[in-house]
Amino acid sequence: MNTTIETLLAHRSVRHFTEEKLTDEQIETIVACAQMASTSSFIQAYSIIGVKNPDTKARLAQLAGNQPYVEANGHFFVFCADLHRHETAGEMEQTNVSPSLESTEKFLVAAVDAALAAQNASIAAESMGLGICYIGGLRNNIEEVGEVLGLPDRVVPLFGLAVGEPAQETAVKPRLPLSNVYHQEKYEKNHDLFKKGLDEYNSTISAYYSGRTGGKRTDRWTEQMSGMLKEPKRMHMKPYLEKKGFMKS
Amino acid sequence: MNTTIETLLAHRSVRHFTEEKLTDEQIETIVACAQMASTSSFIQAYSIIGVKNPDTKARLAQLAGNQPYVEANGHFFVFCADLHRHETAGEMEQTNVSPSLESTEKFLVAAVDAALAAQNASIAAESMGLGICYIGGLRNNIEEVGEVLGLPDRVVPLFGLAVGEPAQETAVKPRLPLSNVYHQEKYEKNHDLFKKGLDEYNSTISAYYSGRTGGKRTDRWTEQMSGMLKEPKRMHMKPYLEKKGFMKS
C-alpha cells in the first residue's frame, strides 16, 4: 500500500479546526491540484471562490444552517458549476453557445467537473495533514449564497469545502459492503441478497454509533436514510438552476 | 511537495493501454478507495459496475461512439448515480421516500457523490502507476448502456472509467490560468480582465497543440469550446433522467 492510498483510506470529515490559517502557498497548491483533475472534453466548467473574510464566512455559516465550521476553519472554498466562462468563449468567437449551455447534459458536466476538482483539492489538503469537510448546507439558501459571492448567470454554488488543521481526532466511518456498491458485469438483481447486505450494514453502523456514544445512539443506516429522506428538501433547486441559466432543456 | 501531490499534478488522460489486466486485488483497492470519498450526509448514492467481459466492453465501446480504449484497457468501471438503494431503505423502514428521491437536489447529490468516488478511484489507480481515462461518451446512448448493465429504476450511468497500464507517454495539458478559476472573496467582475486571462490561455493552448503536432494544430481554447458547444448534444438526458425516476421536481 502506497502513501496516497493510505491517505485515501484514512479519510474522515473534520468539523473542528485549530485557529491556524492556511498559507497562500498551501491554498495555491490545493487549487493547482484541483485544476489537474480530469475534465469533460477539456471544458473546465467550474470555478472556486476562496473566502477568508470573517464577515463573509459568518454569513455563509448562517446561510448553511448555522454550521460553525463554515466560519471556524483554516480556509473556506466554494465550488461552483461555471458555464459563464463558456458564454464568454462563445462571445469571443462570435458563436451562439447558449442552447448548449442550457442543456441538462451541460449542467451535469459542470457539476461532475466541479466535484472531481473538489476531490483533488480535498486529497491534496489531506496529504498535507489538513482536515476537510464538504458543506452541502450552502444549498439551503443557495440564492443568497450566490449573491454573497457575486456569482453571475451560469454560475451556481454547489458546495463548500472547509479546510484546516484538525483540532480533534475523528474516526473513519465504515462504508457500505463492497458487494452492495460494486457490481460485476451487471447490477445485482437478487433483491433479497441486496437487502441482506443492507441488513448486515445496519448492524455495522449501529455498532459504530453505539461504540462512539457509549450506547446512546444505535441508528441503523436504513433508518438514518429513511428519516432523512421522508421529507423532500431544497425543492428550490430546480427553479433556481433554471433561473441561473442551467437545465432549461 | 509530497508524493500524493506529485501524483495529482502529474495527471494526464491515458487512452492507450497494454494488454495487462488489473488483478482482483487492484480492483478491490481501487473500489475501497472510491468508497472512502466524502458523501453527502452519508447517503453513498452511487454504484460502480465493473466490466471484464470482452463482448460487453466491445458493446459499450460502440455505444460510446467507437472509442477503442473502452474495449482495450486493464479494467472498465461504470460510475452510476444510484438512489435505488435508498428506495429499498425506505421499503425496509416502511417510509415513503420517493418524493425526496425524485428531486433535482437528490440527483445532484447522487451525481456529486459518484464523481467524488470516481476521482478517488482515479487517484488510487494513478498512485499505483496505472493510467485512467473518463468516458463521458457512455451518455451518447445512455439508455442502451443502462440496459446492457441491467440498471434498475433510480440508477443511471454517468460516465465510465478506463484503467490500465499506460502503453504510451502522454503530456500534462496546461489548465486555465489560476486567476480565471480561483476567485478571492467574490467572482471576478472585471470582464476585460477575465477575457484577458482567456486570451493568454488561448496562446498557451495554441502553443501546446502546435508543439505536439509539429505546427499542424493550433486551436485556441475558446475556439475549441465554441466549436464543441455550437450544437447542443445529448438532449435526451432530461427525458431519460426523468424516466428513470430522477429530477421530476
Side-chain angles (χ1 to χ4, degrees), chain A residues 110-145:
Chain A
V112 169
D113 257 28
L116 301 182
Q119 191 56 11
N120 261 22
S122 300
I123 291 158
E126 291 182 332
S127 78
M128 299 174 186
L130 300 167
I132 65 113
C133 186
Y134 279 87
I135 312 291
L138 291 187
R139 297 194 301 276
N140 288 351
N141 292 289
I142 192 167
E143 183 149 11
E144 291 81 355
V145 168

Side-chain angles (χ1 to χ4, degrees), chain A residues 123-188:
Chain A
I123 291 158
E126 291 182 332
S127 78
M128 299 174 186
L130 300 167
I132 65 113
C133 186
Y134 279 87
I135 312 291
L138 291 187
R139 297 194 301 276
N140 288 351
N141 292 289
I142 192 167
E143 183 149 11
E144 291 81 355
V145 168
E147 282 162 17
V148 167
L149 304 175
L151 304 184
D153 281 350
R154 307 210 195 281
V155 185
V156 288
L158 295 177
F159 45 78
L161 188 72
V163 181
E165 287 203 355
Q168 204 178 35
E169 274 297 314
T170 43
V172 170
K173 217 161 161 184
R175 296 320 203 238
L176 282 161
L178 185 134
S179 63
N180 204 282
V181 168
Y182 185 66
H183 307 255
Q184 296 188 40
E185 303 300 327
K186 274 179 188 277
Y187 200 93
E188 178 59 60

